[in-house]
């Protein structure tokens, strides 16, 4: 399946991902800049913050309380904020588009 | 003369964050990342958790895929050790005598397990747990129903105990202090963890003065001064870590249980920085000198150095934080828990989810959140902003720790 990450300047990076991975793992495996994942994808550090493309917001599923707590601490929080490590890639998400916030580019 | 670039010694959490951060920030000189281990930079936290159980593979530990470094023009040199720094000549010496010049040198050498001065510690099947090879050796030596004795009830020891008891091993944890996680957790949290481990079948023994390991070639038991012995197939010693600062000391850098660095992570030599487990820094927010061993500290300090090398505005220092996963319970600590704080309980420990808040005067200084992520993130904000707190409100679970305006 394919996932597209948009850099904060809009540049698209489309990667191949496997079902069952998290969106964070898909980005890390392809060395996409803008997804840090300091804690290794454990929902601990909020360095894999993404904005879900409005067309995909329903499909990516619910935000858990753990994730919501971490997101609440982000100054760039928006309605479509998610942590990429908490987005599990199911077949319905083939083609998913995620925008990465500027703050994750050093 | 061409730019000799940034040379980073130690390819772990801090070194990798620094090298990739510099490349992403557009640093245009050479970046060289040298690590003595045979692996590309990887994360250590899973070693005591999923990796030791075989739930996680080496590829999943990597901080970036190995090919990433070359793509970003980072020269990753694996399996080689830096032996000396010639600070006056601005060069380092690799094993086999090779010299490498630098414009800036960053020491990210991490820490190593403290050696326990105990008789027969050199027996076979006695390990410590710091790297991939250690974790593999422990997993390989421990039979299905085997008896594992862990010396030291710190995070690494307790996480390993939780992983192994869940796999059906017989686990005993021996601790010299009066309670588990004594160095960094409050008594209430220690008690909660002791009870949790015991309920899962871990035999926890505190206040024990160990004097020797017994065995022929292989270890067979761990013995205390009062004559008690615990039979063992495998022993893991987890009694803390010491900073890898010998390179820095030999080069004349100021060290004191860590390489001393300023707010930008510069050492006493203007061309040398240090970050991560090996560095000691006066924390800008907490105003105390700290040598921290956490992923957050390693990555935050690495990013401070990126900002400094790239002439960007200095990064604000964050409240230090740490996590530990044991069984299905997540502990998140923010700030530094100290005995002179007043401790406030929020929530009911019996429910498996509560927070200890540590206050000095009317300011929150530290917190320990057990399965309470909202308390962790909101409380961390309270600590960072040093807002006045109302103790009654802190206790009231219905009031969020931090209210947005
Ligand atoms: C089992 C375990 C579990 C942990 N769990 C957690 C956790 O849950 N949460 C958390 O926040 N933290 C955890 N930590 C701590 C965290 O992993 C460390 O704080 C972090 O790795 C420090 O990063 P570093 O870059 O300073 O050091 P390291 O990651 O240790 O990297 C240093 C590297 O430098 C190399 N090196 C040293 N000297 C030289 C030399 N002269 N030449 C070449 N290479 C050299 C070392 O071999 C090593 O590979 C855990 C640590 C361990 C061991």
């Amino acid at each position: 399946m394919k996932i597209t990450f948009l850099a904060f300047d809009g540049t698209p990076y489309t990667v191949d991902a496997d079902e069952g991975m998290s969106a964070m793992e898909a980005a890390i495996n392809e060395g996409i800049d803008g997804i840090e994942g300091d804690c290794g994808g454990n929902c601990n550090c909020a360095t894999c913050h993404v904005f879900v493309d409005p067309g995909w917001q329903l499909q990516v599923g619910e935000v858990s309380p753990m994730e919501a707590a971490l997101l609440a601490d982000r100054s760039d929080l928006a309605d479509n904020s998610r942590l990429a490590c908490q987005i599990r890639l199911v077949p319905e998400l083939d083609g998913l588009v995620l925008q990465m916030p500027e703050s994750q580019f050093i | 003369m061409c730019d000799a670039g940034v040379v980073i010694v130690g390819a772990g959490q801090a070194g990798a964050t620094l090298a990739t951060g510099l490349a992403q920030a557009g640093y245009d000189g050479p970046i060289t990342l040298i690590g003595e281990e045979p692996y590309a930079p990887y994360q250590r936290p899973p070693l005591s958790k999923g990796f030791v159980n075989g739930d996680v593979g080496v590829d999943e530990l990597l901080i970036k895929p190995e090919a990433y470094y070359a793509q970003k023009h980072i020269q990753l040199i694996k399996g080689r050790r830096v032996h000396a720094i010639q600070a006056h000549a601005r060069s380092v010496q690799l094993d086999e005598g090779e010299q490498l010049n630098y414009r800036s040198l960053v020491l990210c050498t991490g820490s190593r397990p403290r050696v326990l001065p105990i008789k027969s510690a050199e027996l076979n099947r006695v390990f410590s747990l710091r790297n991939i090879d250690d974790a593999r050796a422990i997993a390989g030596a421990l039979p299905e129903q085997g008896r594992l004795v862990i010396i030291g009830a710190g995070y690494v020891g307790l996480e390993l105990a939780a992983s192994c008891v869940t796999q059906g091993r017989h686990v005993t944890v021996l601790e010299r202090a009066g309670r588990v996680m004594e160095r960094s957790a409050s008594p209430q949290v220690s008690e909660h963890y002791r009870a949790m481990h015991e309920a899962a079948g871990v035999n926890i023994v505190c206040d024990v003065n160990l004097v020797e390991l017994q065995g022929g070639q292989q270890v067979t038991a761990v013995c205390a001064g009062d004559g008690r012995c615990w039979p063992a197939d495998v022993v893991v010693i987890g009694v803390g870590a010491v900073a890898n600062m010998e390179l820095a000391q030999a080069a004349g850098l100021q060290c004191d249980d860590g390489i001393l660095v300023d707010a930008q992570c510069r050492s006493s030599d203007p061309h040398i920085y240090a970050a991560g487990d090996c560095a000691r820094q006066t924390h800008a927010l907490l105003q105390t000198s700290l040598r921290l061993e956490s992923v957050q500290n390693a990555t935050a300090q690495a990013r401070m150095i990126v900002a400094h090398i790239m002439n960007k505005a200095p990064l604000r220092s964050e409240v230090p934080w740490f996590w530990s996963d044991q069984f299905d319970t997540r502990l998140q600590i923010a700030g530094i828990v100290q005995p002179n704080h007043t401790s406030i309980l929020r929530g009911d420990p019996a429910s498996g989810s509560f927070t200890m808040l540590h206050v000095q005067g009317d300011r929150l200084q530290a917190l320990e959140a057990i399965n309470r992520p909202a308390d962790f993130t909101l409380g961390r904000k309270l600590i960072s902003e040093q807002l006045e707190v109302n103790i009654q409100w802190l206790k009231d679970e219905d009031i969020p720790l931090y209210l947005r305006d």
Side-chain angles (χ1 to χ4, degrees), chain A residues 5-86:
Chain A
F5 293 91
L6 300 175
F8 70 94
D9 65 1
T11 313
Y13 298 96
T14 300
V15 305
D16 285 314
D18 296 335
E19 212 183 300
M21 275 184 176
S22 72
M24 183 213 89
E25 287 170 295
I28 297 285
N29 285 348
E30 297 293 330
I32 300 292
D33 293 340
I35 300 276
E36 297 292 343
D38 285 356
C39 75
N42 275 302
C43 199
N44 243 321
C45 70
T47 60
C48 64
H49 182 196
V50 289
F51 303 113
V52 178
D53 186 81
W56 290 93
Q57 257 182 288
L58 281 178
Q59 287 93 316
V60 292
E62 298 272 307
V63 176
S64 73
M66 178 92 77
E67 181 182 353
L70 282 169
L71 283 171
D73 200 28
R74 297 283 318 205
S75 55
D76 45 5
L77 176 71
D79 287 346
N80 56 343
S81 283
R82 289 296 306 266
L83 295 180
C85 70
Q86 300 302 301

Side-chain angles (χ1 to χ4, degrees), chain B residues 197-238:
Chain B
H197 276 266
E198 287 181 352
V202 178
N203 177 25
I204 302 244
V205 186
C206 290
D207 287 314
V208 59
N209 171 33
L210 297 177
V211 291
E212 67 170 341
L213 304 185
Q214 289 182 349
Q217 274 191 333
Q218 282 174 17
V219 72
T220 52
V222 179
C223 298
D226 57 14
R228 282 181 296 173
C229 282
W230 293 268
D233 298 308
V234 168
V235 172
V236 176
I237 301 179

Side-chain angles (χ1 to χ4, degrees), chain B residues 9-16 34-37 42-49 80-83 108-111 129-131 155-156 159 244 247 275-278 292-296 298 321-325:
Chain B
V9 185
Q13 192 88 48
I34 309 164
E36 67 191 338
E37 292 190 66
Y42 62 89
Q43 312 163 54
R44 295 180 200 280
L47 294 180
S48 48
K49 309 174 182 93
R80 306 269 312 264
R81 206 180 148 73
V82 168
H83 274 279
C108 300
T109 47
S111 59
L129 177 50
R130 180 75 201 171
N131 56 40
Y155 294 107
V156 172
E159 287 177 357
N244 289 327
L247 266 183
D277 284 11
C278 68
L292 296 167
E293 294 168 6
S294 70
V295 167
Q296 177 267 334
W321 61 268
F322 180 82
W323 80 91
S324 173
D325 290 332

Side-chain angles (χ1 to χ4, degrees), chain B residues 108-315:
Chain B
C108 300
T109 47
S111 59
R112 61 176 180 273
R114 173 171 291 127
V115 173
L116 183 70
I118 189 169
K119 228 172 101 193
S120 305
E122 70 294 342
L123 288 176
N124 287 340
R125 302 203 169 174
V126 178
F127 302 99
S128 54
L129 177 50
R130 180 75 201 171
N131 56 40
I132 287 181
D133 295 343
D134 295 334
R136 283 187 168 150
I138 294 167
L142 195 57
E144 284 275 310
Q145 308 274 312
R147 291 160 306 182
L148 168 65
V149 174
I150 297 169
I151 302 180
Y155 294 107
V156 172
L158 289 183
E159 287 177 357
L160 181 67
S163 304
C164 291
V165 82
T166 313
Q167 299 271 302
R169 270 66 182 253
H170 300 275
V171 183
T172 298
V173 179
L174 305 175
E175 168 60 51
R176 184 179 60 180
R179 58 186 175 90
V180 304
M181 304 191 296
E182 194 214 25
R183 221 158 39 98
S184 50
S186 65
Q188 292 84 347
V189 168
S190 292
E191 176 51 27
H192 189 75
Y193 275 79
R194 184 193 57 76
M196 195 164 79
H197 276 266
E198 287 181 352
V202 178
N203 177 25
I204 302 244
V205 186
C206 290
D207 287 314
V208 59
N209 171 33
L210 297 177
V211 291
E212 67 170 341
L213 304 185
Q214 289 182 349
Q217 274 191 333
Q218 282 174 17
V219 72
T220 52
V222 179
C223 298
D226 57 14
R228 282 181 296 173
C229 282
W230 293 268
D233 298 308
V234 168
V235 172
V236 176
I237 301 179
V239 292
V242 293
N244 289 327
M245 59 182 189
E246 289 71 12
L247 266 183
Q249 278 175 315
L253 305 188
Q254 282 177 24
C255 294
D256 178 10
D257 178 28
I259 305 166
L260 298 183
V261 297
D262 69 7
Q264 266 80 51
C265 292
R266 283 176 299 188
S267 76
S268 56
D269 178 307
H271 303 286
I272 306 179
Y273 303 79
D277 284 11
C278 68
R280 173 174 285 279
Q281 186 178 37
T282 296
H283 196 276
L285 224 59
L286 306 178
Q287 290 302 317
T288 36
S289 161
L290 297 170
R291 186 178 73 76
L292 296 167
E293 294 168 6
S294 70
V295 167
Q296 177 267 334
N297 175 65
T299 56
Q301 289 186 332
R303 289 181 183 129
M304 283 180 188
I305 298 174
V306 172
H308 194 260
I309 290 179
M310 298 306 291
N311 286 315
K312 293 195 179 186
L315 295 185

